[in-house]
Amino acid sequence: MNNLHFKQTADGSSTLYNSLLNEHYHSIHGALNESIHVFIRKGFLYFVDLFKSVKDINILEIGFGTGLNCILTYIENLKLNISLNYTSLEPFPLEMKIIDNLDFNLDSKQLDAFKLIHQSFWEKPVKINKQFSLEKFTLELKDFNINKLYDIIYFDAFAPNKQPELWKVDVFNKLFNLTSNNGVLVTYCAKGQVRRDLEKVGYFVERLEGPPGKREMLRATKV
Ligand SMILES: C[S@@+](CC[C@H](N)C(=O)[O-])C[C@H]1O[C@@H](n2cnc3c(N)ncnc32)[C@H](O)[C@@H]1O
């Protein structure tokens, strides 16, 4: 915990600051707004809207962190008739005493689900409710080997200047091979080099309007 510090972001929600990396877990312009915009609206809901008849969705998240993307996906999925498998990778799981002090503006039912998401076992699938299955792995992406395809990838690693090894062509190639046909990868990052490298491995890449405080973000589709 020594290197992790709580911060309140511009929309009132919390984030963590990692002083070793000099990096925040979310945008300081609004953690909640960023997650909703980048991962939920431009990733999950975009996909659901495009494939209206879809009944099963596999999501892969790189960087479980505070679990914000996970709980927001869970909340949105309550409104849908979709069976969702959410897989998330996190080599450095946060302690419960940190999680307990985060404020994502959740109501009491959502808070119960958030706790369940965090307290559930790692390395094996757990049903959070009848339509949401969660599998968390304490693994780095490079060590994650699975024979499965994902419809949506939330690429939420620390920024390229902090963790350059995660923003390389060979990593994107691995993610491309894990993406189902017509599947999408979304990321808050809009760097030109990242966009070109995602294109290089075969994705069709769109630059979309970014969340508050950021001009653009990227969505990559396996067409
Ligand atoms: C930007 S933060 C995560 C944000 C997270 N989605 C959230 O909502 O809190 C990046 C996360 O990636 C994790 N991470 C670091 N190296 C990783 C790796 N090699 N593979 C997967 N995740 C990694 C970090 O520990 C951190 O939790």
PDB file of all heavy atoms in Angstrom, residues 25-43:
ATOM      1  N   TYR A  25      -4.595   5.152 -11.642  1.00  0.00           N
ATOM      2  CA  TYR A  25      -5.328   4.012 -12.185  1.00  0.00           C
ATOM      3  C   TYR A  25      -6.381   4.474 -13.207  1.00  0.00           C
ATOM      4  O   TYR A  25      -6.811   3.694 -14.051  1.00  0.00           O
ATOM      5  CB  TYR A  25      -6.018   3.236 -11.055  1.00  0.00           C
ATOM      6  CG  TYR A  25      -5.122   2.203 -10.406  1.00  0.00           C
ATOM      7  CD1 TYR A  25      -3.908   2.558  -9.847  1.00  0.00           C
ATOM      8  CD2 TYR A  25      -5.502   0.867 -10.353  1.00  0.00           C
ATOM      9  CE1 TYR A  25      -3.083   1.609  -9.255  1.00  0.00           C
ATOM     10  CE2 TYR A  25      -4.687  -0.093  -9.765  1.00  0.00           C
ATOM     11  CZ  TYR A  25      -3.480   0.281  -9.218  1.00  0.00           C
ATOM     12  OH  TYR A  25      -2.674  -0.670  -8.646  1.00  0.00           O
ATOM     13  N   HIS A  26      -6.848   5.704 -13.073  1.00  0.00           N
ATOM     14  CA  HIS A  26      -7.878   6.235 -13.974  1.00  0.00           C
ATOM     15  C   HIS A  26      -7.546   7.684 -14.284  1.00  0.00           C
ATOM     16  O   HIS A  26      -6.647   8.266 -13.677  1.00  0.00           O
ATOM     17  CB  HIS A  26      -9.272   6.191 -13.308  1.00  0.00           C
ATOM     18  CG  HIS A  26      -9.656   4.854 -12.776  1.00  0.00           C
ATOM     19  ND1 HIS A  26      -9.479   4.515 -11.450  1.00  0.00           N
ATOM     20  CD2 HIS A  26     -10.201   3.778 -13.374  1.00  0.00           C
ATOM     21  CE1 HIS A  26      -9.900   3.262 -11.260  1.00  0.00           C
ATOM     22  NE2 HIS A  26     -10.345   2.795 -12.407  1.00  0.00           N
ATOM     23  N   SER A  27      -8.378   8.271 -15.143  1.00  0.00           N
ATOM     24  CA  SER A  27      -8.200   9.684 -15.467  1.00  0.00           C
ATOM     25  C   SER A  27      -8.549  10.548 -14.250  1.00  0.00           C
ATOM     26  O   SER A  27      -9.590  10.342 -13.617  1.00  0.00           O
ATOM     27  CB  SER A  27      -9.133  10.042 -16.628  1.00  0.00           C
ATOM     28  OG  SER A  27      -9.262  11.431 -16.711  1.00  0.00           O
ATOM     29  N   ILE A  28      -7.720  11.531 -13.967  1.00  0.00           N
ATOM     30  CA  ILE A  28      -8.028  12.419 -12.839  1.00  0.00           C
ATOM     31  C   ILE A  28      -9.184  13.367 -13.203  1.00  0.00           C
ATOM     32  O   ILE A  28      -9.751  14.023 -12.351  1.00  0.00           O
ATOM     33  CB  ILE A  28      -6.798  13.239 -12.379  1.00  0.00           C
ATOM     34  CG1 ILE A  28      -6.177  13.955 -13.569  1.00  0.00           C
ATOM     35  CG2 ILE A  28      -5.778  12.360 -11.673  1.00  0.00           C
ATOM     36  CD1 ILE A  28      -5.282  15.090 -13.171  1.00  0.00           C
ATOM     37  N   HIS A  29      -9.548  13.394 -14.505  1.00  0.00           N
ATOM     38  CA  HIS A  29     -10.699  14.203 -14.944  1.00  0.00           C
ATOM     39  C   HIS A  29     -12.022  13.514 -14.629  1.00  0.00           C
ATOM     40  O   HIS A  29     -13.087  14.062 -14.909  1.00  0.00           O
ATOM     41  CB  HIS A  29     -10.607  14.488 -16.442  1.00  0.00           C
ATOM     42  CG  HIS A  29      -9.353  15.204 -16.817  1.00  0.00           C
ATOM     43  ND1 HIS A  29      -9.138  16.519 -16.523  1.00  0.00           N
ATOM     44  CD2 HIS A  29      -8.220  14.772 -17.439  1.00  0.00           C
ATOM     45  CE1 HIS A  29      -7.944  16.885 -16.952  1.00  0.00           C
ATOM     46  NE2 HIS A  29      -7.368  15.843 -17.505  1.00  0.00           N
ATOM     47  N   GLY A  30     -11.952  12.313 -14.057  1.00  0.00           N
ATOM     48  CA  GLY A  30     -13.183  11.584 -13.703  1.00  0.00           C
ATOM     49  C   GLY A  30     -12.998  10.098 -13.975  1.00  0.00           C
ATOM     50  O   GLY A  30     -13.091   9.672 -15.132  1.00  0.00           O
ATOM     51  N   ALA A  31     -12.772   9.333 -12.911  1.00  0.00           N
ATOM     52  CA  ALA A  31     -12.556   7.889 -13.061  1.00  0.00           C
ATOM     53  C   ALA A  31     -13.834   7.218 -13.589  1.00  0.00           C
ATOM     54  O   ALA A  31     -13.815   6.463 -14.555  1.00  0.00           O
ATOM     55  CB  ALA A  31     -12.163   7.285 -11.717  1.00  0.00           C
ATOM     56  N   LEU A  32     -14.948   7.547 -12.941  1.00  0.00           N
ATOM     57  CA  LEU A  32     -16.220   6.930 -13.305  1.00  0.00           C
ATOM     58  C   LEU A  32     -16.598   7.302 -14.747  1.00  0.00           C
ATOM     59  O   LEU A  32     -16.951   6.443 -15.555  1.00  0.00           O
ATOM     60  CB  LEU A  32     -17.288   7.436 -12.320  1.00  0.00           C
ATOM     61  CG  LEU A  32     -18.616   6.715 -12.264  1.00  0.00           C
ATOM     62  CD1 LEU A  32     -18.445   5.223 -12.061  1.00  0.00           C
ATOM     63  CD2 LEU A  32     -19.470   7.293 -11.129  1.00  0.00           C
ATOM     64  N   ASN A  33     -16.492   8.586 -15.058  1.00  0.00           N
ATOM     65  CA  ASN A  33     -16.842   9.038 -16.412  1.00  0.00           C
ATOM     66  C   ASN A  33     -15.963   8.381 -17.463  1.00  0.00           C
ATOM     67  O   ASN A  33     -16.423   8.024 -18.547  1.00  0.00           O
ATOM     68  CB  ASN A  33     -16.707  10.565 -16.525  1.00  0.00           C
ATOM     69  CG  ASN A  33     -17.870  11.272 -15.849  1.00  0.00           C
ATOM     70  OD1 ASN A  33     -18.912  10.652 -15.604  1.00  0.00           O
ATOM     71  ND2 ASN A  33     -17.704  12.540 -15.533  1.00  0.00           N
ATOM     72  N   GLU A  34     -14.694   8.220 -17.149  1.00  0.00           N
ATOM     73  CA  GLU A  34     -13.782   7.601 -18.115  1.00  0.00           C
ATOM     74  C   GLU A  34     -14.180   6.146 -18.368  1.00  0.00           C
ATOM     75  O   GLU A  34     -14.286   5.709 -19.510  1.00  0.00           O
ATOM     76  CB  GLU A  34     -12.343   7.648 -17.603  1.00  0.00           C
ATOM     77  CG  GLU A  34     -11.380   6.965 -18.546  1.00  0.00           C
ATOM     78  CD  GLU A  34      -9.976   6.822 -17.966  1.00  0.00           C
ATOM     79  OE1 GLU A  34      -9.826   6.353 -16.815  1.00  0.00           O
ATOM     80  OE2 GLU A  34      -9.031   7.177 -18.672  1.00  0.00           O
ATOM     81  N   SER A  35     -14.410   5.397 -17.296  1.00  0.00           N
ATOM     82  CA  SER A  35     -14.761   3.978 -17.463  1.00  0.00           C
ATOM     83  C   SER A  35     -16.079   3.812 -18.209  1.00  0.00           C
ATOM     84  O   SER A  35     -16.206   2.957 -19.079  1.00  0.00           O
ATOM     85  CB  SER A  35     -14.889   3.300 -16.098  1.00  0.00           C
ATOM     86  OG  SER A  35     -13.634   2.999 -15.603  1.00  0.00           O
ATOM     87  N   ILE A  36     -17.052   4.649 -17.841  1.00  0.00           N
ATOM     88  CA  ILE A  36     -18.356   4.554 -18.512  1.00  0.00           C
ATOM     89  C   ILE A  36     -18.205   4.859 -20.001  1.00  0.00           C
ATOM     90  O   ILE A  36     -18.719   4.146 -20.860  1.00  0.00           O
ATOM     91  CB  ILE A  36     -19.377   5.517 -17.857  1.00  0.00           C
ATOM     92  CG1 ILE A  36     -19.743   5.011 -16.467  1.00  0.00           C
ATOM     93  CG2 ILE A  36     -20.624   5.673 -18.720  1.00  0.00           C
ATOM     94  CD1 ILE A  36     -20.619   5.954 -15.652  1.00  0.00           C
ATOM     95  N   HIS A  37     -17.458   5.902 -20.305  1.00  0.00           N
ATOM     96  CA  HIS A  37     -17.334   6.320 -21.709  1.00  0.00           C
ATOM     97  C   HIS A  37     -16.536   5.299 -22.529  1.00  0.00           C
ATOM     98  O   HIS A  37     -16.996   4.812 -23.565  1.00  0.00           O
ATOM     99  CB  HIS A  37     -16.658   7.694 -21.784  1.00  0.00           C
ATOM    100  CG  HIS A  37     -16.505   8.178 -23.188  1.00  0.00           C
ATOM    101  ND1 HIS A  37     -17.501   8.867 -23.851  1.00  0.00           N
ATOM    102  CD2 HIS A  37     -15.488   8.048 -24.077  1.00  0.00           C
ATOM    103  CE1 HIS A  37     -17.092   9.134 -25.076  1.00  0.00           C
ATOM    104  NE2 HIS A  37     -15.881   8.661 -25.243  1.00  0.00           N
ATOM    105  N   VAL A  38     -15.319   4.999 -22.074  1.00  0.00           N
ATOM    106  CA  VAL A  38     -14.397   4.202 -22.899  1.00  0.00           C
ATOM    107  C   VAL A  38     -14.815   2.736 -22.967  1.00  0.00           C
ATOM    108  O   VAL A  38     -14.890   2.148 -24.057  1.00  0.00           O
ATOM    109  CB  VAL A  38     -12.950   4.308 -22.339  1.00  0.00           C
ATOM    110  CG1 VAL A  38     -12.003   3.388 -23.117  1.00  0.00           C
ATOM    111  CG2 VAL A  38     -12.469   5.754 -22.378  1.00  0.00           C
ATOM    112  N   PHE A  39     -15.086   2.154 -21.796  1.00  0.00           N
ATOM    113  CA  PHE A  39     -15.271   0.704 -21.776  1.00  0.00           C
ATOM    114  C   PHE A  39     -16.742   0.294 -21.897  1.00  0.00           C
ATOM    115  O   PHE A  39     -17.064  -0.650 -22.620  1.00  0.00           O
ATOM    116  CB  PHE A  39     -14.615   0.124 -20.515  1.00  0.00           C
ATOM    117  CG  PHE A  39     -13.141   0.425 -20.497  1.00  0.00           C
ATOM    118  CD1 PHE A  39     -12.615   1.441 -19.695  1.00  0.00           C
ATOM    119  CD2 PHE A  39     -12.275  -0.249 -21.346  1.00  0.00           C
ATOM    120  CE1 PHE A  39     -11.259   1.750 -19.719  1.00  0.00           C
ATOM    121  CE2 PHE A  39     -10.917   0.053 -21.387  1.00  0.00           C
ATOM    122  CZ  PHE A  39     -10.412   1.060 -20.572  1.00  0.00           C
ATOM    123  N   ILE A  40     -17.612   1.026 -21.197  1.00  0.00           N
ATOM    124  CA  ILE A  40     -19.024   0.627 -21.227  1.00  0.00           C
ATOM    125  C   ILE A  40     -19.718   1.108 -22.515  1.00  0.00           C
ATOM    126  O   ILE A  40     -20.216   0.294 -23.288  1.00  0.00           O
ATOM    127  CB  ILE A  40     -19.771   1.149 -19.968  1.00  0.00           C
ATOM    128  CG1 ILE A  40     -19.054   0.672 -18.688  1.00  0.00           C
ATOM    129  CG2 ILE A  40     -21.230   0.705 -19.992  1.00  0.00           C
ATOM    130  CD1 ILE A  40     -18.877  -0.823 -18.554  1.00  0.00           C
ATOM    131  N   ARG A  41     -19.676   2.417 -22.765  1.00  0.00           N
ATOM    132  CA  ARG A  41     -20.414   2.918 -23.946  1.00  0.00           C
ATOM    133  C   ARG A  41     -19.752   2.515 -25.264  1.00  0.00           C
ATOM    134  O   ARG A  41     -20.411   1.996 -26.154  1.00  0.00           O
ATOM    135  CB  ARG A  41     -20.502   4.446 -23.905  1.00  0.00           C
ATOM    136  CG  ARG A  41     -21.443   4.938 -22.851  1.00  0.00           C
ATOM    137  CD  ARG A  41     -22.047   6.303 -23.218  1.00  0.00           C
ATOM    138  NE  ARG A  41     -22.721   6.804 -22.041  1.00  0.00           N
ATOM    139  CZ  ARG A  41     -22.297   7.845 -21.318  1.00  0.00           C
ATOM    140  NH1 ARG A  41     -21.232   8.524 -21.693  1.00  0.00           N
ATOM    141  NH2 ARG A  41     -22.943   8.217 -20.243  1.00  0.00           N
ATOM    142  N   LYS A  42     -18.446   2.761 -25.360  1.00  0.00           N
ATOM    143  CA  LYS A  42     -17.769   2.544 -26.655  1.00  0.00           C
ATOM    144  C   LYS A  42     -17.332   1.100 -26.857  1.00  0.00           C
ATOM    145  O   LYS A  42     -16.928   0.722 -27.951  1.00  0.00           O
ATOM    146  CB  LYS A  42     -16.552   3.473 -26.785  1.00  0.00           C
ATOM    147  CG  LYS A  42     -16.879   4.955 -26.674  1.00  0.00           C
ATOM    148  CD  LYS A  42     -17.799   5.418 -27.801  1.00  0.00           C
ATOM    149  CE  LYS A  42     -18.053   6.907 -27.736  1.00  0.00           C
ATOM    150  NZ  LYS A  42     -19.121   7.339 -28.650  1.00  0.00           N
ATOM    151  N   GLY A  43     -17.395   0.306 -25.799  1.00  0.00           N
ATOM    152  CA  GLY A  43     -17.039  -1.107 -25.908  1.00  0.00           C
ATOM    153  C   GLY A  43     -18.258  -1.993 -25.755  1.00  0.00           C
ATOM    154  O   GLY A  43     -18.858  -2.436 -26.731  1.00  0.00           O
TER     155      GLY A  43
END
